[in-house]
Amino acid sequence: MLVFNQGTSRFNFRVAGIAKRDGRVLVHRAKHEAFWTFPGGRAEMGEETRATLSREIREETGVEAKVGRLVWLVENFFRYEGRDFHELGFYYLMDIDPAFPYHPADVVHQVVDGPNEIEFKWEMADASSLAALPLFPEFIPARIANLPSAPEHLVWRDNIPLVNQLTRAG
């Protein structure tokens, strides 16, 4: 896994997916944490980010995901559990297999991943619902209703945006 520790700091290379269904978005969390994120995980050395997302979804849900276009590339700097994190995150749209359970706002799936018990649920895909979870990184609730048409590059330090630039291919 692409994780590097340096003193009390950690670099993390994360890939996550945005799956929508009937006006809701799939979120997950470790049961011991008070916040939610989009499902995904850490990239492995030599692994393309789309392959990372496919692998993580398969490992954690038991179903396949079709990875779509890149929505956000995020340089996220934050403090968590006494450590300073520098996280590079790729956020893709994805379609998750329709066989994956769907029950609005209820936990629909649980899995043990290493030392963590992970739970998944479908939450309303609107700013107020996602902010109330809370969902991290904190830029997501405000941007979920109007996803950019081209990849957006964000630099986010301690939940404060430093750069918000739209990057267009070609």
PDB file of all heavy atoms in Angstrom, residues 35-66:
ATOM      1  N   PHE A  35     -17.109   9.927  11.266  1.00  0.00           N
ATOM      2  CA  PHE A  35     -17.287  10.527   9.945  1.00  0.00           C
ATOM      3  C   PHE A  35     -17.373   9.449   8.873  1.00  0.00           C
ATOM      4  O   PHE A  35     -16.997   8.305   9.076  1.00  0.00           O
ATOM      5  CB  PHE A  35     -16.145  11.501   9.630  1.00  0.00           C
ATOM      6  CG  PHE A  35     -14.799  10.826   9.576  1.00  0.00           C
ATOM      7  CD1 PHE A  35     -14.309  10.320   8.377  1.00  0.00           C
ATOM      8  CD2 PHE A  35     -14.019  10.701  10.716  1.00  0.00           C
ATOM      9  CE1 PHE A  35     -13.081   9.690   8.321  1.00  0.00           C
ATOM     10  CE2 PHE A  35     -12.783  10.072  10.668  1.00  0.00           C
ATOM     11  CZ  PHE A  35     -12.316   9.566   9.465  1.00  0.00           C
ATOM     12  N   TRP A  36     -17.871   9.833   7.706  1.00  0.00           N
ATOM     13  CA  TRP A  36     -18.046   8.950   6.559  1.00  0.00           C
ATOM     14  C   TRP A  36     -17.179   9.445   5.406  1.00  0.00           C
ATOM     15  O   TRP A  36     -16.790  10.621   5.373  1.00  0.00           O
ATOM     16  CB  TRP A  36     -19.510   8.941   6.126  1.00  0.00           C
ATOM     17  CG  TRP A  36     -20.428   8.398   7.173  1.00  0.00           C
ATOM     18  CD1 TRP A  36     -20.887   9.056   8.286  1.00  0.00           C
ATOM     19  CD2 TRP A  36     -20.989   7.091   7.234  1.00  0.00           C
ATOM     20  NE1 TRP A  36     -21.706   8.230   9.021  1.00  0.00           N
ATOM     21  CE2 TRP A  36     -21.793   7.016   8.381  1.00  0.00           C
ATOM     22  CE3 TRP A  36     -20.903   5.966   6.403  1.00  0.00           C
ATOM     23  CZ2 TRP A  36     -22.496   5.876   8.729  1.00  0.00           C
ATOM     24  CZ3 TRP A  36     -21.604   4.828   6.748  1.00  0.00           C
ATOM     25  CH2 TRP A  36     -22.390   4.786   7.904  1.00  0.00           C
ATOM     26  N   THR A  37     -16.887   8.571   4.459  1.00  0.00           N
ATOM     27  CA  THR A  37     -16.150   8.916   3.242  1.00  0.00           C
ATOM     28  C   THR A  37     -16.767   8.143   2.078  1.00  0.00           C
ATOM     29  O   THR A  37     -17.614   7.270   2.286  1.00  0.00           O
ATOM     30  CB  THR A  37     -14.654   8.532   3.350  1.00  0.00           C
ATOM     31  OG1 THR A  37     -14.548   7.117   3.501  1.00  0.00           O
ATOM     32  CG2 THR A  37     -13.976   9.234   4.509  1.00  0.00           C
ATOM     33  N   PHE A  38     -16.327   8.448   0.875  1.00  0.00           N
ATOM     34  CA  PHE A  38     -16.711   7.621  -0.256  1.00  0.00           C
ATOM     35  C   PHE A  38     -15.893   6.345  -0.216  1.00  0.00           C
ATOM     36  O   PHE A  38     -14.719   6.356   0.190  1.00  0.00           O
ATOM     37  CB  PHE A  38     -16.472   8.347  -1.572  1.00  0.00           C
ATOM     38  CG  PHE A  38     -17.480   9.420  -1.867  1.00  0.00           C
ATOM     39  CD1 PHE A  38     -17.084  10.620  -2.414  1.00  0.00           C
ATOM     40  CD2 PHE A  38     -18.829   9.230  -1.622  1.00  0.00           C
ATOM     41  CE1 PHE A  38     -18.009  11.611  -2.705  1.00  0.00           C
ATOM     42  CE2 PHE A  38     -19.765  10.212  -1.901  1.00  0.00           C
ATOM     43  CZ  PHE A  38     -19.348  11.406  -2.443  1.00  0.00           C
ATOM     44  N   PRO A  39     -16.474   5.210  -0.609  1.00  0.00           N
ATOM     45  CA  PRO A  39     -15.745   3.948  -0.559  1.00  0.00           C
ATOM     46  C   PRO A  39     -14.539   3.944  -1.491  1.00  0.00           C
ATOM     47  O   PRO A  39     -14.545   4.576  -2.541  1.00  0.00           O
ATOM     48  CB  PRO A  39     -16.780   2.911  -0.986  1.00  0.00           C
ATOM     49  CG  PRO A  39     -17.915   3.652  -1.575  1.00  0.00           C
ATOM     50  CD  PRO A  39     -17.837   5.069  -1.103  1.00  0.00           C
ATOM     51  N   GLY A  40     -13.531   3.225  -1.076  1.00  0.00           N
ATOM     52  CA  GLY A  40     -12.295   3.108  -1.834  1.00  0.00           C
ATOM     53  C   GLY A  40     -11.200   2.652  -0.903  1.00  0.00           C
ATOM     54  O   GLY A  40     -11.462   2.002   0.112  1.00  0.00           O
ATOM     55  N   GLY A  41      -9.981   2.995  -1.226  1.00  0.00           N
ATOM     56  CA  GLY A  41      -8.872   2.592  -0.376  1.00  0.00           C
ATOM     57  C   GLY A  41      -7.548   3.042  -0.941  1.00  0.00           C
ATOM     58  O   GLY A  41      -7.481   3.870  -1.848  1.00  0.00           O
ATOM     59  N   ARG A  42      -6.503   2.459  -0.405  1.00  0.00           N
ATOM     60  CA  ARG A  42      -5.145   2.849  -0.771  1.00  0.00           C
ATOM     61  C   ARG A  42      -4.674   2.105  -2.021  1.00  0.00           C
ATOM     62  O   ARG A  42      -4.921   0.916  -2.181  1.00  0.00           O
ATOM     63  CB  ARG A  42      -4.196   2.550   0.381  1.00  0.00           C
ATOM     64  CG  ARG A  42      -4.461   3.394   1.590  1.00  0.00           C
ATOM     65  CD  ARG A  42      -3.420   3.119   2.663  1.00  0.00           C
ATOM     66  NE  ARG A  42      -3.821   3.756   3.888  1.00  0.00           N
ATOM     67  CZ  ARG A  42      -4.014   3.115   5.034  1.00  0.00           C
ATOM     68  NH1 ARG A  42      -3.825   1.821   5.112  1.00  0.00           N
ATOM     69  NH2 ARG A  42      -4.381   3.784   6.101  1.00  0.00           N
ATOM     70  N   ALA A  43      -3.960   2.867  -2.849  1.00  0.00           N
ATOM     71  CA  ALA A  43      -3.354   2.282  -4.044  1.00  0.00           C
ATOM     72  C   ALA A  43      -2.158   1.434  -3.640  1.00  0.00           C
ATOM     73  O   ALA A  43      -1.529   1.661  -2.601  1.00  0.00           O
ATOM     74  CB  ALA A  43      -2.914   3.387  -5.000  1.00  0.00           C
ATOM     75  N   GLU A  44      -1.862   0.456  -4.456  1.00  0.00           N
ATOM     76  CA  GLU A  44      -0.669  -0.372  -4.271  1.00  0.00           C
ATOM     77  C   GLU A  44       0.377   0.039  -5.300  1.00  0.00           C
ATOM     78  O   GLU A  44       0.041   0.566  -6.369  1.00  0.00           O
ATOM     79  CB  GLU A  44      -1.020  -1.850  -4.429  1.00  0.00           C
ATOM     80  CG  GLU A  44      -1.933  -2.344  -3.327  1.00  0.00           C
ATOM     81  CD  GLU A  44      -2.249  -3.834  -3.420  1.00  0.00           C
ATOM     82  OE1 GLU A  44      -1.768  -4.506  -4.360  1.00  0.00           O
ATOM     83  OE2 GLU A  44      -2.986  -4.314  -2.549  1.00  0.00           O
ATOM     84  N   MET A  45       1.637  -0.217  -5.006  1.00  0.00           N
ATOM     85  CA  MET A  45       2.732   0.129  -5.907  1.00  0.00           C
ATOM     86  C   MET A  45       2.498  -0.530  -7.268  1.00  0.00           C
ATOM     87  O   MET A  45       2.186  -1.714  -7.346  1.00  0.00           O
ATOM     88  CB  MET A  45       4.068  -0.332  -5.315  1.00  0.00           C
ATOM     89  CG  MET A  45       5.258   0.114  -6.123  1.00  0.00           C
ATOM     90  SD  MET A  45       5.416   1.912  -6.211  1.00  0.00           S
ATOM     91  CE  MET A  45       6.077   2.290  -4.615  1.00  0.00           C
ATOM     92  N   GLY A  46       2.591   0.267  -8.326  1.00  0.00           N
ATOM     93  CA  GLY A  46       2.454  -0.241  -9.681  1.00  0.00           C
ATOM     94  C   GLY A  46       1.012  -0.451 -10.135  1.00  0.00           C
ATOM     95  O   GLY A  46       0.779  -0.940 -11.239  1.00  0.00           O
ATOM     96  N   GLU A  47       0.049  -0.068  -9.317  1.00  0.00           N
ATOM     97  CA  GLU A  47      -1.360  -0.283  -9.630  1.00  0.00           C
ATOM     98  C   GLU A  47      -1.978   1.017 -10.157  1.00  0.00           C
ATOM     99  O   GLU A  47      -1.837   2.062  -9.539  1.00  0.00           O
ATOM    100  CB  GLU A  47      -2.085  -0.732  -8.360  1.00  0.00           C
ATOM    101  CG  GLU A  47      -3.539  -1.066  -8.528  1.00  0.00           C
ATOM    102  CD  GLU A  47      -4.158  -1.557  -7.217  1.00  0.00           C
ATOM    103  OE1 GLU A  47      -4.035  -0.849  -6.188  1.00  0.00           O
ATOM    104  OE2 GLU A  47      -4.752  -2.641  -7.241  1.00  0.00           O
ATOM    105  N   GLU A  48      -2.670   0.936 -11.278  1.00  0.00           N
ATOM    106  CA  GLU A  48      -3.369   2.106 -11.798  1.00  0.00           C
ATOM    107  C   GLU A  48      -4.544   2.439 -10.880  1.00  0.00           C
ATOM    108  O   GLU A  48      -5.150   1.554 -10.283  1.00  0.00           O
ATOM    109  CB  GLU A  48      -3.863   1.834 -13.219  1.00  0.00           C
ATOM    110  CG  GLU A  48      -2.738   1.648 -14.208  1.00  0.00           C
ATOM    111  CD  GLU A  48      -3.237   1.340 -15.608  1.00  0.00           C
ATOM    112  OE1 GLU A  48      -4.444   1.564 -15.888  1.00  0.00           O
ATOM    113  OE2 GLU A  48      -2.422   0.881 -16.412  1.00  0.00           O
ATOM    114  N   THR A  49      -4.892   3.712 -10.804  1.00  0.00           N
ATOM    115  CA  THR A  49      -5.920   4.136  -9.856  1.00  0.00           C
ATOM    116  C   THR A  49      -7.281   3.500 -10.134  1.00  0.00           C
ATOM    117  O   THR A  49      -8.002   3.154  -9.205  1.00  0.00           O
ATOM    118  CB  THR A  49      -6.053   5.671  -9.828  1.00  0.00           C
ATOM    119  OG1 THR A  49      -6.279   6.170 -11.156  1.00  0.00           O
ATOM    120  CG2 THR A  49      -4.800   6.316  -9.248  1.00  0.00           C
ATOM    121  N   ARG A  50      -7.644   3.313 -11.390  1.00  0.00           N
ATOM    122  CA  ARG A  50      -8.917   2.654 -11.706  1.00  0.00           C
ATOM    123  C   ARG A  50      -8.913   1.210 -11.212  1.00  0.00           C
ATOM    124  O   ARG A  50      -9.927   0.722 -10.703  1.00  0.00           O
ATOM    125  CB  ARG A  50      -9.202   2.693 -13.202  1.00  0.00           C
ATOM    126  CG  ARG A  50      -9.523   4.061 -13.720  1.00  0.00           C
ATOM    127  CD  ARG A  50      -9.638   4.043 -15.250  1.00  0.00           C
ATOM    128  NE  ARG A  50      -9.721   5.380 -15.773  1.00  0.00           N
ATOM    129  CZ  ARG A  50     -10.858   6.055 -15.918  1.00  0.00           C
ATOM    130  NH1 ARG A  50     -11.998   5.505 -15.583  1.00  0.00           N
ATOM    131  NH2 ARG A  50     -10.850   7.279 -16.398  1.00  0.00           N
ATOM    132  N   ALA A  51      -7.789   0.547 -11.346  1.00  0.00           N
ATOM    133  CA  ALA A  51      -7.660  -0.831 -10.860  1.00  0.00           C
ATOM    134  C   ALA A  51      -7.744  -0.859  -9.337  1.00  0.00           C
ATOM    135  O   ALA A  51      -8.321  -1.787  -8.753  1.00  0.00           O
ATOM    136  CB  ALA A  51      -6.354  -1.455 -11.342  1.00  0.00           C
ATOM    137  N   THR A  52      -7.185   0.156  -8.674  1.00  0.00           N
ATOM    138  CA  THR A  52      -7.275   0.248  -7.211  1.00  0.00           C
ATOM    139  C   THR A  52      -8.733   0.301  -6.782  1.00  0.00           C
ATOM    140  O   THR A  52      -9.158  -0.431  -5.896  1.00  0.00           O
ATOM    141  CB  THR A  52      -6.548   1.499  -6.686  1.00  0.00           C
ATOM    142  OG1 THR A  52      -5.163   1.399  -6.976  1.00  0.00           O
ATOM    143  CG2 THR A  52      -6.745   1.674  -5.183  1.00  0.00           C
ATOM    144  N   LEU A  53      -9.505   1.181  -7.423  1.00  0.00           N
ATOM    145  CA  LEU A  53     -10.905   1.330  -7.042  1.00  0.00           C
ATOM    146  C   LEU A  53     -11.678   0.036  -7.290  1.00  0.00           C
ATOM    147  O   LEU A  53     -12.435  -0.414  -6.419  1.00  0.00           O
ATOM    148  CB  LEU A  53     -11.546   2.502  -7.780  1.00  0.00           C
ATOM    149  CG  LEU A  53     -12.990   2.822  -7.397  1.00  0.00           C
ATOM    150  CD1 LEU A  53     -13.137   3.040  -5.898  1.00  0.00           C
ATOM    151  CD2 LEU A  53     -13.473   4.035  -8.180  1.00  0.00           C
ATOM    152  N   SER A  54     -11.482  -0.576  -8.426  1.00  0.00           N
ATOM    153  CA  SER A  54     -12.159  -1.851  -8.718  1.00  0.00           C
ATOM    154  C   SER A  54     -11.822  -2.905  -7.675  1.00  0.00           C
ATOM    155  O   SER A  54     -12.704  -3.610  -7.173  1.00  0.00           O
ATOM    156  CB  SER A  54     -11.768  -2.365 -10.110  1.00  0.00           C
ATOM    157  OG  SER A  54     -12.274  -1.532 -11.103  1.00  0.00           O
ATOM    158  N   ARG A  55     -10.541  -3.019  -7.331  1.00  0.00           N
ATOM    159  CA  ARG A  55     -10.103  -4.008  -6.341  1.00  0.00           C
ATOM    160  C   ARG A  55     -10.715  -3.732  -4.977  1.00  0.00           C
ATOM    161  O   ARG A  55     -11.239  -4.638  -4.320  1.00  0.00           O
ATOM    162  CB  ARG A  55      -8.564  -4.016  -6.251  1.00  0.00           C
ATOM    163  CG  ARG A  55      -8.025  -4.915  -5.136  1.00  0.00           C
ATOM    164  CD  ARG A  55      -6.518  -4.833  -5.006  1.00  0.00           C
ATOM    165  NE  ARG A  55      -5.972  -3.495  -4.877  1.00  0.00           N
ATOM    166  CZ  ARG A  55      -6.008  -2.756  -3.771  1.00  0.00           C
ATOM    167  NH1 ARG A  55      -6.599  -3.218  -2.664  1.00  0.00           N
ATOM    168  NH2 ARG A  55      -5.454  -1.557  -3.734  1.00  0.00           N
ATOM    169  N   GLU A  56     -10.652  -2.482  -4.540  1.00  0.00           N
ATOM    170  CA  GLU A  56     -11.172  -2.133  -3.216  1.00  0.00           C
ATOM    171  C   GLU A  56     -12.676  -2.400  -3.111  1.00  0.00           C
ATOM    172  O   GLU A  56     -13.144  -2.936  -2.106  1.00  0.00           O
ATOM    173  CB  GLU A  56     -10.866  -0.668  -2.875  1.00  0.00           C
ATOM    174  CG  GLU A  56      -9.418  -0.405  -2.535  1.00  0.00           C
ATOM    175  CD  GLU A  56      -9.005  -0.960  -1.181  1.00  0.00           C
ATOM    176  OE1 GLU A  56      -9.877  -1.239  -0.324  1.00  0.00           O
ATOM    177  OE2 GLU A  56      -7.791  -1.109  -0.970  1.00  0.00           O
ATOM    178  N   ILE A  57     -13.430  -2.042  -4.139  1.00  0.00           N
ATOM    179  CA  ILE A  57     -14.877  -2.278  -4.105  1.00  0.00           C
ATOM    180  C   ILE A  57     -15.159  -3.778  -4.072  1.00  0.00           C
ATOM    181  O   ILE A  57     -15.998  -4.248  -3.299  1.00  0.00           O
ATOM    182  CB  ILE A  57     -15.576  -1.592  -5.302  1.00  0.00           C
ATOM    183  CG1 ILE A  57     -15.420  -0.070  -5.209  1.00  0.00           C
ATOM    184  CG2 ILE A  57     -17.038  -2.010  -5.396  1.00  0.00           C
ATOM    185  CD1 ILE A  57     -15.977   0.556  -3.936  1.00  0.00           C
ATOM    186  N   ARG A  58     -14.459  -4.541  -4.889  1.00  0.00           N
ATOM    187  CA  ARG A  58     -14.642  -6.000  -4.904  1.00  0.00           C
ATOM    188  C   ARG A  58     -14.300  -6.607  -3.538  1.00  0.00           C
ATOM    189  O   ARG A  58     -15.034  -7.434  -3.014  1.00  0.00           O
ATOM    190  CB  ARG A  58     -13.792  -6.613  -6.020  1.00  0.00           C
ATOM    191  CG  ARG A  58     -14.014  -8.069  -6.258  1.00  0.00           C
ATOM    192  CD  ARG A  58     -13.271  -8.602  -7.494  1.00  0.00           C
ATOM    193  NE  ARG A  58     -11.901  -8.122  -7.631  1.00  0.00           N
ATOM    194  CZ  ARG A  58     -11.477  -7.159  -8.453  1.00  0.00           C
ATOM    195  NH1 ARG A  58     -12.323  -6.513  -9.229  1.00  0.00           N
ATOM    196  NH2 ARG A  58     -10.212  -6.811  -8.492  1.00  0.00           N
ATOM    197  N   GLU A  59     -13.174  -6.172  -2.941  1.00  0.00           N
ATOM    198  CA  GLU A  59     -12.750  -6.715  -1.645  1.00  0.00           C
ATOM    199  C   GLU A  59     -13.731  -6.359  -0.530  1.00  0.00           C
ATOM    200  O   GLU A  59     -13.997  -7.182   0.346  1.00  0.00           O
ATOM    201  CB  GLU A  59     -11.359  -6.182  -1.269  1.00  0.00           C
ATOM    202  CG  GLU A  59     -10.229  -6.764  -2.074  1.00  0.00           C
ATOM    203  CD  GLU A  59      -8.883  -6.107  -1.767  1.00  0.00           C
ATOM    204  OE1 GLU A  59      -8.802  -5.184  -0.919  1.00  0.00           O
ATOM    205  OE2 GLU A  59      -7.897  -6.522  -2.405  1.00  0.00           O
ATOM    206  N   GLU A  60     -14.249  -5.134  -0.548  1.00  0.00           N
ATOM    207  CA  GLU A  60     -15.078  -4.670   0.563  1.00  0.00           C
ATOM    208  C   GLU A  60     -16.568  -4.932   0.403  1.00  0.00           C
ATOM    209  O   GLU A  60     -17.289  -4.964   1.391  1.00  0.00           O
ATOM    210  CB  GLU A  60     -14.833  -3.175   0.805  1.00  0.00           C
ATOM    211  CG  GLU A  60     -13.422  -2.893   1.303  1.00  0.00           C
ATOM    212  CD  GLU A  60     -13.165  -1.421   1.573  1.00  0.00           C
ATOM    213  OE1 GLU A  60     -14.046  -0.576   1.304  1.00  0.00           O
ATOM    214  OE2 GLU A  60     -12.057  -1.108   2.043  1.00  0.00           O
ATOM    215  N   THR A  61     -17.030  -5.105  -0.848  1.00  0.00           N
ATOM    216  CA  THR A  61     -18.466  -5.309  -1.050  1.00  0.00           C
ATOM    217  C   THR A  61     -18.807  -6.672  -1.642  1.00  0.00           C
ATOM    218  O   THR A  61     -19.960  -7.095  -1.571  1.00  0.00           O
ATOM    219  CB  THR A  61     -19.063  -4.235  -1.993  1.00  0.00           C
ATOM    220  OG1 THR A  61     -18.527  -4.419  -3.308  1.00  0.00           O
ATOM    221  CG2 THR A  61     -18.794  -2.836  -1.476  1.00  0.00           C
ATOM    222  N   GLY A  62     -17.849  -7.309  -2.284  1.00  0.00           N
ATOM    223  CA  GLY A  62     -18.103  -8.588  -2.933  1.00  0.00           C
ATOM    224  C   GLY A  62     -18.750  -8.458  -4.296  1.00  0.00           C
ATOM    225  O   GLY A  62     -19.101  -9.458  -4.915  1.00  0.00           O
ATOM    226  N   VAL A  63     -18.917  -7.224  -4.800  1.00  0.00           N
ATOM    227  CA  VAL A  63     -19.490  -7.015  -6.129  1.00  0.00           C
ATOM    228  C   VAL A  63     -18.516  -6.191  -6.978  1.00  0.00           C
ATOM    229  O   VAL A  63     -17.575  -5.592  -6.465  1.00  0.00           O
ATOM    230  CB  VAL A  63     -20.865  -6.309  -6.071  1.00  0.00           C
ATOM    231  CG1 VAL A  63     -21.879  -7.144  -5.288  1.00  0.00           C
ATOM    232  CG2 VAL A  63     -20.758  -4.913  -5.497  1.00  0.00           C
ATOM    233  N   GLU A  64     -18.785  -6.175  -8.268  1.00  0.00           N
ATOM    234  CA  GLU A  64     -17.950  -5.423  -9.201  1.00  0.00           C
ATOM    235  C   GLU A  64     -18.448  -3.995  -9.340  1.00  0.00           C
ATOM    236  O   GLU A  64     -19.629  -3.713  -9.136  1.00  0.00           O
ATOM    237  CB  GLU A  64     -17.958  -6.095 -10.579  1.00  0.00           C
ATOM    238  CG  GLU A  64     -17.363  -7.499 -10.582  1.00  0.00           C
ATOM    239  CD  GLU A  64     -15.888  -7.538 -10.234  1.00  0.00           C
ATOM    240  OE1 GLU A  64     -15.146  -6.618 -10.654  1.00  0.00           O
ATOM    241  OE2 GLU A  64     -15.481  -8.480  -9.531  1.00  0.00           O
ATOM    242  N   ALA A  65     -17.532  -3.113  -9.685  1.00  0.00           N
ATOM    243  CA  ALA A  65     -17.862  -1.726  -9.978  1.00  0.00           C
ATOM    244  C   ALA A  65     -17.292  -1.365 -11.342  1.00  0.00           C
ATOM    245  O   ALA A  65     -16.175  -1.772 -11.674  1.00  0.00           O
ATOM    246  CB  ALA A  65     -17.290  -0.789  -8.913  1.00  0.00           C
ATOM    247  N   LYS A  66     -18.056  -0.627 -12.097  1.00  0.00           N
ATOM    248  CA  LYS A  66     -17.571  -0.090 -13.361  1.00  0.00           C
ATOM    249  C   LYS A  66     -17.079   1.319 -13.076  1.00  0.00           C
ATOM    250  O   LYS A  66     -17.868   2.194 -12.693  1.00  0.00           O
ATOM    251  CB  LYS A  66     -18.687  -0.076 -14.400  1.00  0.00           C
ATOM    252  CG  LYS A  66     -18.249   0.481 -15.732  1.00  0.00           C
ATOM    253  CD  LYS A  66     -19.409   0.498 -16.712  1.00  0.00           C
ATOM    254  CE  LYS A  66     -18.967   1.187 -17.996  1.00  0.00           C
ATOM    255  NZ  LYS A  66     -20.093   1.410 -18.895  1.00  0.00           N
TER     256      LYS A  66
END
